[in-house]
Amino acid sequence: MTCEATKAKETFQVRRLKVEDLSTILNVQQVVLDTLDKKDTLQPLSDDEFKTILEGNGLMLGVFVRDHLVAFRALWFPRDDKENLGRDLGLSVDEQMKVVHQEISSVHPDYRGNGLQKRLAFLVMKELENMNGSYHYVCCTVHPFNLPSLKDKLSQGLLIAKVKEKYAGHLRYIFMRELQREMRLDNDGAKLIALEDLEGQKRLLEQGYYGYQLFQKEGQLMVGFAKPIL
């Protein structure tokens, strides 16, 4: 792995994070926030939210270089919490208990460009697979114009299922992926719509479409939407 600041090649380790890592986690989160031009593209977690995950209601993996945390990724098991995204997606109470959230993912600016976000996504989902299999849905929210996060979620097979105001009025995509089966989409009947046209996207979502891919068309970024094959 290469450090952007020094251009030096460095070895790294990945391990599960614990409560004792909290102060370091908060430091990395703050560094990442400080580099953002638009602060509302990232919803940071509070001390208590991190503690909830680290104390057993979730899972966090971290990347360390010379014993310093440089990246992390979190899953949260919301269960009956009012923020369970299964509520937004209309899942039954029983199904909401089977939802896992992909929460914040952060990479220190000096270590961007090494594919750490993608690597951690693979590893944390592998950890989830190795658990008791009681989770059937993975969900998350993403700012519609946070392109790195959009590409990250779509590359994992998550689908745009809803556009909704969350977190005190901030507009977010709600992503969803079923873990027990693969949802097959009718790509032949796909529709492309501009990334900026969120109202048009809402109409397609209400008609049963899911957003599944980003496209470039005549210099404009488009979102591909398709219906499930029943």
Side-chain angles (χ1 to χ4, degrees), residues 106-154:
S106 293
V107 179
H108 191 286
D110 287 348
Y111 292 90
R112 289 173 184 162
N114 288 289
L116 292 180
Q117 190 175 39
K118 187 174 182 179
R119 187 186 298 265
L120 283 173
F122 174 80
L123 293 174
V124 80
M125 293 307 292
K126 274 293 182 186
E127 288 279 323
L128 183 67
E129 287 176 17
N130 293 333
M131 297 177 71
N132 59 16
S134 61
Y135 297 102
H136 292 186
Y137 307 91
V138 58
C139 300
C140 64
T141 61
V142 175
H143 190 287
F145 307 128
N146 185 338
L147 291 182
S149 287
L150 287 181
K151 292 175 181 178
D152 171 63
K153 302 304 182 290
L154 293 169

Side-chain angles (χ1 to χ4, degrees), residues 43 81 111 125 164 180 206:
Q43 182 66 28
D81 192 278
Y111 292 90
M125 293 307 292
K164 185 176 180 179
Q180 304 300 314
E206 289 167 0

Side-chain angles (χ1 to χ4, degrees), residues 165-212:
E165 286 189 355
K166 300 285 290 181
Y167 317 123
H170 295 292
L171 206 60
R172 292 291 188 268
Y173 283 132
I174 299 179
F175 277 83
M176 184 272 290
R177 176 185 159 200
E178 294 189 38
L179 297 174
Q180 304 300 314
R181 71 180 182 99
E182 182 180 356
M183 185 187 293
R184 296 174 59 238
L185 298 178
D186 178 18
N187 293 346
D188 292 336
K191 296 181 182 292
L192 297 184
I193 188 165
L195 179 62
E196 291 83 5
D197 187 2
L198 295 175
E199 289 302 317
Q201 293 177 39
K202 285 182 184 179
R203 288 192 291 271
L204 288 178
L205 292 166
E206 289 167 0
Q207 294 169 30
Y209 286 81
Y210 288 84
Y212 69 96

